[in-house]
Amino acid sequence: MSDDHSDADDAPPIATDGGSSPSADDLDENVSHRFDRLAPTDAERTVEGRPSRATVLSWWEERFGIPPATFENHTFWEKGNGKLWVLAGDDADPSEVEAMGATVLRTRQEHWKPTTDAVQRFGHLATKNVIDLDLAEAERFAAGEDQDIERWDGDWGYLIAAHELPRETADDADGERAILGVGLYVHGELRSTVPKGRRRDL
Amino acid sequence: MHEVLERYRPIVDEFDAFAAAVERPLGKTVRVNTIKADVERVRAAFEDAGIAAEPTAWNPELLAVDTDGPGSTWPAFHGWIHSQEAVSTLPPIALDPQPGETIWDACAAPGSKTTQIAAMMDDEGRVVANDRNMGRLSALRFNAERLGVTNAIVTNRDARNYSLDPLAVDEFDRALVDAPCSGEGTLRKNPAALDSWSEGFLADVSGVQTDVLQRAIQATKPGGRVVYSTCTYAPEENETVLDRVLDAENCRIVEQELPIETRPGITEWDGTSFDPSVERAARIYPHLNDTGGFFVATLEVGA
């Protein structure tokens, strides 16, 4: 399984929550090669299957406890089928650009999957569904390996994996949480979703 | 020393020191990515791994690291650092981008300076990062996302006739032209850098550099700042380009305060004289600060 769930891939086998996926006959189809801004709310959507900004903000809050205000100066965009991007500020017609900000979330599937880069950027604000790893576990995670971790008794599905690194000086015993990436937790196993290009032997 | 560099004997003081310095391998430096971490946190993590990481005297966010592989460390995995040559951090320092501004990085890949600019802006406002080479854009996007940059828009166009049409602004506040060049200044990290050097290449690339810098002047607001930089010693790619652009566009070269030792731009080369204000440009030779070679000039767009 180790190569089946990088950021580039879809559809995890099992998870426990997800975004809404309403559809309506009077909505347009998504144009996959173009960036389109997410509508503010579900009621204002014009494209079938596209989540709204409100739904995305709710998802971060419900899944990880990350407050909606975190993204108050950001806009969200869809390009590709369900691939969402987060951009600081807003912008005009983005039809001729290759990237807008950073990829943030894979939607249009039962269980939404945040990207490694997004949780490394915003995951320090999470208050739940964060699994803290010891050094050996963190090293395996960073290398892209799956591992059995029986102690987790929280939700299954996509978790934020973290470890502690020392903060000030070496004689300061207290470390500070550092976000590693996204793990998929199922059946007592934590599967690393660190993309191949980000994996490191540490 | 590579024979190509002999042509600079007339313009480099202490030429023997220069020749000796280009033979020495370059030490590794990493820039702390202030979007995701701070200097203390990065130093603590390196210290925990037994790696010395000392701030350079002239840039506290640039750390000299005692390892050949800073990329295989926790600070790198977390996107807290970016391996970047010391002189490569100078153009953004000269550019001095402010949070909320709109900045054009005309030749952006692989994104070392783009991400430094984004960090200097606290990831607010807009960096429009362009590169003509699609293959190199993937490295730019990888670096930007790893470093947590969310204020960059990436485009894949020819900078020489760049259109602002798809953007939210009609002009840029500032622009960086870190031009493609012959790369003579990178010999210390890449001994093969000059294997394909030719005077014909200098003539060709000089034309491209001039065109891109002219477009940057045109696309930047009156009073706005445009920084031009290369990693080469060749006057054909440096003062010659500035001299042509001064003739063609409404702009001037301004004094710049760089935190390292530099030499002024030269006003004459190969029988040709340049506008005297090219002296305000900075030449950086390896023996001055134990770095790679570099060239940087700051221009101001006329009203």
Side-chain angles (χ1 to χ4, degrees), chain B residues 284-299:
Chain B
I284 294 125
Y285 298 117
H287 60 290
L288 299 178
N289 311 275
D290 192 20
T291 63
F294 214 69
F295 181 90
V296 57
T298 302
L299 298 93

Side-chain angles (χ1 to χ4, degrees), chain B residues 111-131:
Chain B
S112 296
K113 300 171 189 78
T114 305
T115 54
Q116 183 183 355
I117 289 167
M120 291 172 77
M121 299 168 76
D122 298 332
D123 199 27
E124 296 168 10
R126 179 70 63 241
V127 184
V128 180
N130 179 69
D131 205 278

Side-chain angles (χ1 to χ4, degrees), chain A residues 18-22 42 45 49-52 55 59 108-110 112:
Chain A
S20 58
S21 53
D42 280 2
R45 290 180 311 156
R50 176 175 296 158
S52 67
T55 307
W59 183 86
R108 293 187 189 259
Q109 56 193 25
E110 185 178 2
W112 291 7

